[in-house]
Amino acid sequence: MTLTLLNNRYQVLRELGSGGFGKTFLAEDTQMPSAKRCVIKQLIPVVNNPQVYQLVQERFQQEAAILEELGDRNSQIPQLYAYFMEGGEFYLVQQYVEGKTLTEKLQQQGVLSEITVKEILINILQILEYVHSKGIVHRDIKPDNIILRFSDSKPVLIDFGAVKVTMNTEVSPSGNSHQSIVIGTPGFMPMEQSAGRPVFSSDLFSLGLTAIYLLTGKIPQDLPTEPNLGNILWRHFAPYLNVNFGDVLDKAIAYHPRDRYLNAREMLTALQTLSNPIAPTLPVPQSIPTILAAPVTAGYVQPQTVASLPTSQPHFQTQYPVTSNNGLGTWQQAVIIGGVIGSFLVGGFWVLGIVNKPQITTTNTTPSPVLSPVENTNITPSNTSISPISQPTTSPPEPIQPQTTSSISREAAIQGLETWLAAKRQIFSPPYNKELGSKLLTGPVYTKFISKTDNPDACLARGNNEDDCLSSVDWLIRNRAYWVYGVQKIQAVRNFVSSGNNATIIVVVTEQRTLYNKNGNVDKSQSGLFTSTTSYDLQYENGEIKIYNYK
């Protein structure tokens, strides 16, 4: 059936999606002066007989009234504009939310920061507290059903499952109504919902898995489970996560409802009592800021460019053999550099020049394998998941206290590298935080990655080459490119030497990174999971440990 004008009022513009219960359309209201856009959901009963149709019609009216109340009283639930029946099918007319779904945000930006995920959770839990107070279980919370609204960046909860339940009504020979199909999304719904008996904590389970997806990029089906208790094992995919925040999520996704939070308010309180998470920190006076992504489109909206998580993969050619003699352009050089920096910050505080020249071994493989520290220098990631039992979860290291002795400790050096790894997400993608880079880098590395000149455009206008004018960050900004990071882990420390205010450390680092160009396309040749061995030089400067050079 070709849809053009519905209810003699709504002009269909295009189909937005379809599923087992019907279709969704973007439409214009021809009876409004502004031709206001709206979303129309066409719902089709699973059984076609007069007895069931009458029952579905009554329940549809009841559910429409509930949706109207929910949308009118909560600004983060779409408003219901109208409902009607036409041609034996049922229609809901709802507010059109311009934004991007959480799925789209992750696909465009990469895994989200802990602070961002926590803010999303707090917002959704406040919505659920209101929804549950009405005796309603959403039944289908997942990344696709949460839209980040462009106008204010707030999450909006869409696609309530109650109407789908109504469409799924059947009548037994004895005259009793029942549901033949489970409402929900496999993987995101808990066992009691799969059995057709959802409770309020079922929504919390789905929300917890949504948060884990945003933190790790892993859908539930890709996460292993504990053989005996059935609990989901995921923390080894987010090694830098605050342990207390991880505990909150673990409780939300517990296998049995009795082990979860009783309601949204209880989980909300647990989250709000947590301190703001920070990645492992160096002796930096301020906590690392959160990355804010620019808007990208949702299922119904025009996409825009968004920020991603960066690695130290910026543009440069001196410290690493990436020169015009190799036939590499600026873009390729920037890519390779990014890879180097990933290693750079984990391996080389090479101030003393005492360590033998390290080998750099890079392996590109399937994303997100979990690796345990190994003794040999060349690490080859495998596609086999490693049990989280061998990956103990610990809270982020405490900020390094100012040095009271004349030498840099091994622990402080390692912590400095961990801080750098976390900071790359904010330095090499929007907001391209140069100030943070100045707190972590010094000397030639600072010049190479953060700032070669105060005015790169003027430098280029004088006829200089990009390599002479643009630091890695400046090149990324100028070309609207950015790095996105997944797993970042120091696997092993090969050597450490410290003398006075200088130290050198050689480390093996595994890092998952993706390079995006200005069109949002991935450079596959430079993206993947890499393991490298690198030597880093550290320098104690103005009360802080900074990276001076790498090899």
Side-chain angles (χ1 to χ4, degrees):
M1 174 181 176
T2 302
L3 299 176
T4 52
L5 193 66
L6 289 172
N7 203 33
N8 199 33
R9 176 171 182 171
Y10 301 102
Q11 180 67 53
V12 173
L13 301 178
R14 69 175 186 271
E15 182 178 320
L16 297 174
S18 61
F21 294 96
K23 298 179 179 180
T24 304
F25 304 95
L26 177 63
E28 288 181 343
D29 188 344
T30 62
Q31 296 184 19
M32 295 291 285
S34 63
K36 181 167 65 176
R37 290 194 169 190
C38 54
V39 172
I40 297 181
K41 293 186 178 180
Q42 175 196 49
L43 301 160
I44 305 172
V46 295
V47 176
N48 183 19
N49 72 58
Q51 183 183 10
V52 174
Y53 187 86
Q54 181 62 33
L55 180 60
V56 169
Q57 184 176 359
E58 294 173 0
R59 291 186 178 178
F60 177 68
Q61 292 172 334
Q62 295 170 1
E63 296 300 339
I66 293 172
L67 288 177
E68 180 183 20
E69 180 182 6
L70 292 177
D72 285 347
R73 298 192 179 185
N74 193 298
S75 63
Q76 288 170 265
I77 297 174
Q79 288 183 297
L80 181 70
Y81 293 150
Y83 76 99
F84 59 91
M85 287 152 277
E86 185 172 286
E89 294 168 353
F90 299 80
Y91 296 87
L92 294 172
V93 184
Q94 292 183 299
Q95 178 185 8
Y96 172 53
V97 179
E98 292 192 77
K100 61 175 180 245
T101 66
L102 292 182
T103 299
E104 291 167 330
K105 182 177 178 68
L106 184 135
Q107 289 172 347
Q108 294 286 334
Q109 175 180 329
V111 294
L112 308 188
S113 71
E114 181 178 333
I115 294 177
T116 300
V117 174
K118 180 181 173 183
E119 289 174 352
I120 292 171
L121 285 180
I122 288 174
N123 269 274
I124 297 299
L125 285 168
Q126 290 170 339
I127 302 172
L128 285 178
E129 184 178 17
Y130 168 65
V131 171
H132 292 171
S133 73
K134 301 296 181 182
I136 300 168
V137 179
H138 184 281
R139 298 173 188 249
D140 200 14
I141 293 177
K142 58 182 178 180
D144 286 335
N145 284 342
I146 298 174
I147 296 177
L148 295 178
R149 191 163 49 199
F150 284 162
S151 61
D152 57 9
S153 298
K154 287 188 176 181
V156 177
L157 186 58
I158 66 170
D159 207 15
F160 284 72
V163 178
K164 295 178 184 177
V165 173
T166 297
M167 294 299 116
N168 187 33
T169 299
E170 292 186 355
V171 176
S172 66
S174 61
N176 296 320
S177 63
H178 64 279
Q179 313 300 318
S180 61
I181 302 173
V182 173
I183 306 301
T185 300
F188 284 95
M189 60 178 169
M191 57 94 179
E192 73 276 1
Q193 186 172 332
S194 300
R197 295 187 293 272
V199 293
F200 294 143
S201 69
S202 302
D203 282 347
L204 304 183
F205 179 94
S206 302
L207 183 61
L209 283 176
T210 296
I212 290 169
Y213 169 74
L214 298 178
L215 291 166
T216 66
K218 299 289 185 182
I219 61 174
Q221 290 89 336
D222 290 341
L223 299 173
T225 56
E226 196 175 13
N228 296 327
L229 301 178
N231 291 322
I232 297 170
L233 304 173
W234 61 275
R235 290 208 192 189
H236 54 299
F237 293 115
Y240 298 113
L241 188 71
N242 180 288
V243 66
N244 295 323
F245 186 40
D247 290 343
V248 171
L249 296 181
D250 270 339
K251 185 168 183 178
I253 65 168
Y255 180 79
H256 201 285
R258 66 168 175 262
D259 298 323
R260 301 180 206 140
Y261 292 102
L262 295 177
N263 50 52
R265 167 49 56 183
E266 187 177 342
M267 184 175 175
L268 181 61
T269 300
L271 280 176
Q272 290 175 329
T273 56
L274 294 178
S275 58
N276 270 341
I278 353 180
T281 52
L282 209 64
V284 178
Q286 299 176 354
S287 60
I288 295 175
T290 312
I291 301 174
L292 299 177
V296 188
T297 58
Y300 335 137
V301 195
Q302 237 9 8
Q304 303 174 3
T305 304
V306 183
S308 316
L309 313 175
T311 331
S312 6
Q313 264 90 191
H315 162 76
F316 50 127
Q317 74 179 49
T318 304
Q319 314 263 155
Y320 194 79
V322 182
T323 67
S324 57
N325 294 333
N326 294 334
L328 298 178
T330 302
W331 166 258
Q332 294 166 305
Q333 296 171 13
V335 170
I336 295 177
I337 290 172
V340 171
I341 293 192
S343 310
F344 145 0
L345 291 171
V346 187
F349 302 158
W350 180 269
V351 173
L352 303 178
I354 305 176
V355 186
N356 293 331
K357 181 178 180 182
Q359 297 178 343
I360 299 181
T361 303
T362 304
T363 305
N364 189 350
T365 162
T366 305
S368 297
V370 180
L371 307 176
S372 300
V374 295
E375 290 301 319
N376 68 2
T377 301
N378 298 328
I379 298 179
T380 303
S382 69
N383 295 327
T384 305
S385 297
I386 294 183
S387 169
I389 295 174
S390 64
Q391 304 289 335
T393 303
T394 58
S395 55
E398 294 296 322
I400 301 174
Q401 300 300 318
Q403 296 279 323
T404 56
T405 64
S406 60
S407 61
I408 298 172
S409 69
R410 183 178 186 273
E411 292 71 21
I414 294 172
Q415 189 171 337
L417 292 181
E418 290 175 339
T419 299
W420 162 254
L421 288 174
K424 290 194 296 179
R425 297 170 179 259
Q426 300 170 53
I427 297 173
F428 299 113
S429 70
Y432 302 109
N433 193 334
K434 286 190 171 185
E435 182 181 355
L436 179 58
S438 69
K439 295 175 181 177
L440 302 175
L441 307 178
T442 189
V445 169
Y446 173 82
T447 302
K448 201 69 178 174
F449 299 141
I450 307 302
S451 181
K452 288 189 176 181
T453 172
D454 293 335
N455 193 335
D457 290 333
C459 178
L460 292 172
R462 291 193 293 270
N464 295 312
N465 295 326
E466 281 191 344
D467 293 331
D468 297 325
C469 300
L470 301 181
S471 67
S472 300
V473 172
D474 290 328
W475 186 91
L476 291 168
I477 293 172
R478 185 179 181 87
N479 289 276
R480 290 185 293 163
Y482 54 89
W483 289 90
V484 173
Y485 298 86
V487 173
Q488 293 174 303
K489 188 174 182 62
I490 297 176
Q491 304 288 8
V493 177
R494 296 292 178 223
N495 201 354
F496 176 75
V497 179
S498 178
S499 176
N501 289 332
N502 299 325
T504 297
I505 187 170
I506 298 178
V507 291
V508 177
V509 178
T510 293
E511 183 169 67
Q512 182 183 1
R513 56 183 180 261
T514 305
L515 179 63
Y516 288 86
N517 63 22
K518 63 182 179 181
N519 298 318
N521 298 323
V522 175
D523 185 328
K524 294 182 179 179
S525 67
Q526 303 299 329
S527 304
L529 188 75
F530 300 87
T531 296
S532 305
T533 302
T534 308
S535 173
Y536 297 94
D537 299 334
L538 291 182
Q539 185 167 299
Y540 191 63
E541 179 181 292
N542 298 325
E544 298 176 353
I545 299 175
K546 295 186 177 183
I547 296 171
Y548 177 84
N549 207 347
Y550 74 95
K551 296 179 181 178

